[in-house]
Amino acid sequence: MPALLLLTGPSAGLRLEVKEEAVLGRSPSCEIPLEDGKVSRRHARIFLKEGQARIVDLGSRNGTAVNGERIEGEAILLPGDRVQVGDSTVLYEPPAKASLQDREAGEVHTFPVEEVLPAVGPVAALYSAGVGLLSATSEAMVLRRAAEELGRSVNADRAAALLGGMEGLLTAAVVGAEAVEVPRSMVRAALERKETGRAEGVLCAPLAASGGLPFGILYADRTEPFGAEEQKVAAALGRLAGEAFAAVRSRTEREAPQVMLVGSSRQFRKTVEQARRAAAGAEAVVLHGEAGTGKSLAAHYIHGRSSRGLGPLLSVDCRQGPLAVEEELFGRQSGPGVPPLSSALLRSDGGTLVLAHVEMLQRSTAERLARLLARKMAPARQGGEEPVDVRVIASASAPLQLLAAKGEIDGELAKALSGTEIELLPLRERRTDVPALLELFAARATRPLRREPPTLSPDARRMLVDYAWPGNVRELRLLAERLAVLYAGAEVSALKLPPEVQEGSAAAGPKTLSQLIGRLERDAISEALREARGKKIRAAAILGISRPTLDKKIEDYRLTVEKIRKA
């Protein structure tokens, strides 16, 4: 059943289950009593209706808020929502998929784990190697551990895990020596015929994963001959190491950072609410809008707040070359010196697959992808197909139905991706968010430098808000990072902004002589006011004009005068 976790307040740390309904309040008679002076005796009621959790305020003195917004009437609670009552913050958790029960399991036979795990012999060697390879966090670590485990298992003087083909071996990891020399005949048997071989004091086995040809070898030598059992151990280690290598390579973008969507404008908050509700669902999501509006960030936001938030998040940029996109989406088998690559559908099993710029897919690729999505299948590494549970979030420049009508995307793929559609607004339609976004990006850029972020003069702030931002949030982020590096801890005046921002719009036409002179005059007045720290008499003296003339020009150019106190 669903539960509430108290994050802050006098009762922080408690986890309380919600049955049919529960009342939060200061009264001991409430199902969820809160020892909080700012909470009313009967503050709010949470109840289940039509399979959803809902909350309603009971006329409390201080009100009830969900995710920072005060509720009016009945509100639906979604997984991860935060309810604020008084000084207490309550996290809503959905029903758990597994729970503990107080029931007898019958006669239980228990043994210490150490007693049932193999300790000696070939099986123990393979168990130890398997543990080491599974815990490897990089391709280089897999190869190094494979060489170490082979040397330990067969008691070799030297051991190596090598990548490459018959044209040459790339030494990846060698233990017991600086380098090794491998007989060409044994390499050919391993790479071309997938055979493991031994001759006198030399042992060689293929390094391979499921499906495809070997992409390297395991090698060991010593002064004494190797036996048949040691040959079998080497063969098993080659397969284990090949699988571990392929698995590590497949873990790209497996952890999605928690992201926040920043902005307070009314239009943007509607978009955030759409994303929040999409996160609670399971259907495909299409994010469309102009370039630079934050579609990738929105995809990460939806994934992070969804029930798949702990699963993999994989992104495929469909603007790449056709072959690169096909290999990422559908995988490839291994070959000499080329390790296998699992399909993106398989790697994102249990998580989310982001298809960036989905309209750029080749027709044949789009058709194959549509078939796989419709059947919830993915290309298997060993060949054939296997079922997967993947949620797809696609980003595009326009709604998919419009793109399909124009023939810019395959109709079957558009149908397979039909679900929730969210439009990411251009920055010019949410101008009030510009200052907050710039401050956020500038603060991030100066944090590694251990400097204070720059501040904006009133005129610079107005120019940034008035600018059309053709590159949207991406353009604003790049500008903020540039200003943070150049003017960390200082004030940014209007004259320090890029010419396109000062001119108003990058797409504006040529200016008349009068407009150019007016721009120069306005900039000169702004700079004089900044140097005079907002004192008009001093600024007029700097400019060589009278105070009344300065006042009139400040009014004509709608300049903001801010007096700056000395530190």
Side-chain angles (χ1 to χ4, degrees), residues 13 50-51 199 210 247 257 275 281 286 293 319 405 468 523 545:
E50 299 176 355
S210 300
V286 176
T293 50
R319 295 173 299 179
D523 291 343
I545 60 178

Side-chain angles (χ1 to χ4, degrees), residues 45-232:
R45 182 169 68 98
I46 296 178
F47 58 98
L48 302 180
K49 179 180 177 182
E50 299 176 355
Q52 291 181 313
R54 300 166 186 259
I55 186 170
V56 62
D57 186 80
L58 299 178
S60 64
R61 183 174 68 254
N62 296 319
T64 302
V66 177
N67 298 325
E69 296 183 6
R70 188 162 178 167
I71 63 172
E72 299 290 341
E74 192 178 288
I76 297 176
L77 289 179
L78 299 176
D81 279 350
R82 298 188 178 214
V83 178
Q84 188 75 36
V85 287
D87 289 332
S88 300
T89 303
V90 184
L91 177 69
Y92 171 67
E93 296 180 340
K97 293 186 177 181
S99 59
L100 300 178
Q101 290 186 345
D102 295 324
R103 64 180 180 85
E104 295 298 327
E107 186 178 0
V108 180
H109 303 277
T110 61
F111 298 93
V113 173
E114 289 76 10
E115 291 185 12
V116 297
L117 295 177
V120 294
V123 177
L126 290 177
Y127 165 74
S128 174
V131 171
L133 292 170
L134 284 172
S135 62
T137 57
S138 66
E139 298 167 5
M141 188 182 294
V142 168
L143 296 171
R144 185 178 71 251
R145 289 186 177 178
E148 292 171 347
E149 292 294 341
L150 177 61
R152 186 180 302 112
S153 301
V154 301
N155 196 25
D157 296 328
R158 299 182 299 175
L162 310 170
L163 297 179
M166 290 306 300
E167 298 80 14
L169 291 172
L170 171 65
T171 301
V174 178
V175 294
E178 290 293 327
V180 293
E181 294 180 354
V182 187
R184 186 178 296 274
S185 59
M186 299 187 75
V187 174
R188 179 173 286 108
L191 294 178
E192 297 180 356
R193 301 193 297 273
K194 297 182 71 171
E195 296 177 351
T196 178
R198 57 186 172 92
E200 299 179 347
V202 177
L203 189 61
C204 189
L207 190 64
S210 300
L213 297 172
F215 54 89
I217 65 167
L218 290 183
Y219 171 83
D221 63 26
R222 67 185 185 192
T223 55
E224 300 174 3
F226 291 102
E229 288 299 317
E230 292 166 320
Q231 188 175 2
K232 293 178 182 178

Side-chain angles (χ1 to χ4, degrees), residues 251-546:
R251 290 179 200 151
T252 55
E253 299 180 85
R254 64 189 182 280
E255 295 182 359
Q258 189 70 27
V259 299
M260 295 299 294
L261 300 180
V262 177
S264 58
S265 63
R266 181 179 177 184
Q267 302 93 323
F268 183 69
R269 296 318 302 172
K270 288 183 179 179
T271 302
V272 174
E273 178 62 20
Q274 287 180 299
R276 190 175 71 86
R277 293 190 174 277
E283 59 186 1
V285 180
V286 176
L287 306 170
H288 61 86
E290 296 178 7
T293 50
K295 296 186 286 292
S296 176
L297 191 69
H300 281 70
Y301 177 88
I302 292 171
H303 170 79
R305 288 182 62 94
S306 72
S307 59
R308 301 169 178 266
L310 296 179
L313 174 66
L314 193 72
S315 180
V316 176
D317 189 344
C318 301
R319 295 173 299 179
Q320 302 177 84
L323 180 59
V325 173
E326 282 217 9
E327 286 189 348
E328 277 205 58
L329 285 176
F330 310 128
R332 67 161 182 263
Q333 291 189 334
S334 61
V338 181
L341 177 66
S342 298
S343 75
L345 290 167
L346 197 60
R347 284 179 281 159
S348 54
D349 188 18
T352 304
L353 173 62
V354 179
L355 299 174
H357 309 280
V358 67
E359 70 270 29
M360 301 301 293
L361 282 176
Q362 293 286 317
R363 179 70 60 174
S364 58
T365 304
E367 291 173 351
R368 183 181 178 188
L369 178 60
R371 291 193 296 268
L372 290 170
L373 292 177
R375 293 186 288 113
K376 297 183 178 180
M377 302 293 285
R381 284 229 318 263
Q382 63 273 22
E385 296 178 350
E386 62 182 275
V388 289
D389 174 24
V390 177
R391 186 185 194 184
V392 178
I393 299 178
S395 71
S397 58
L400 292 193
Q401 294 303 321
L402 178 60
L403 294 173
K406 293 181 178 179
E408 297 179 12
I409 189 172
D410 178 68
E412 289 301 315
L413 180 58
K415 182 179 178 181
L417 296 176
S418 62
T420 300
E421 291 210 0
I422 301 175
E423 180 183 8
L424 277 297
L425 298 173
L427 192 54
R428 62 181 175 274
E429 293 185 21
R430 41 180 292 226
R431 295 176 187 269
T432 56
D433 292 334
V434 168
L437 286 168
L438 187 133
E439 290 173 6
L440 173 68
F441 295 141
R444 287 179 181 174
T446 53
R447 194 173 298 126
L449 305 175
R450 297 183 179 180
R451 301 281 303 278
E452 290 295 320
T455 57
L456 296 173
S457 71
D459 286 338
R461 182 180 294 267
R462 181 182 57 77
M463 279 188 180
L464 290 170
V465 171
D466 290 344
Y467 181 54
W469 297 107
N472 293 298
V473 179
R474 183 184 297 123
E475 182 183 3
L476 176 61
R477 176 176 58 81
L478 294 174
L479 174 60
E481 292 171 352
R482 175 186 171 189
L483 295 177
V485 173
L486 294 176
Y487 308 111
E491 183 186 67
V492 177
S493 65
L495 293 178
K496 294 177 181 177
L497 296 177
E500 62 268 21
V501 177
Q502 295 187 43
E503 292 298 323
S505 174
K511 301 290 187 297
T512 65
L513 179 60
S514 176
Q515 289 174 321
L516 292 173
I517 293 174
R519 170 66 67 179
L520 290 173
E521 188 176 51
R522 195 195 70 154
D523 291 343
I525 294 172
S526 295
E527 186 64 19
L529 286 169
R530 188 187 66 80
E531 290 183 12
R533 307 180 72 84
K535 294 181 179 180
K536 294 182 180 179
I537 293 178
R538 186 179 172 189
I542 293 174
L543 294 168
I545 60 178
S546 66

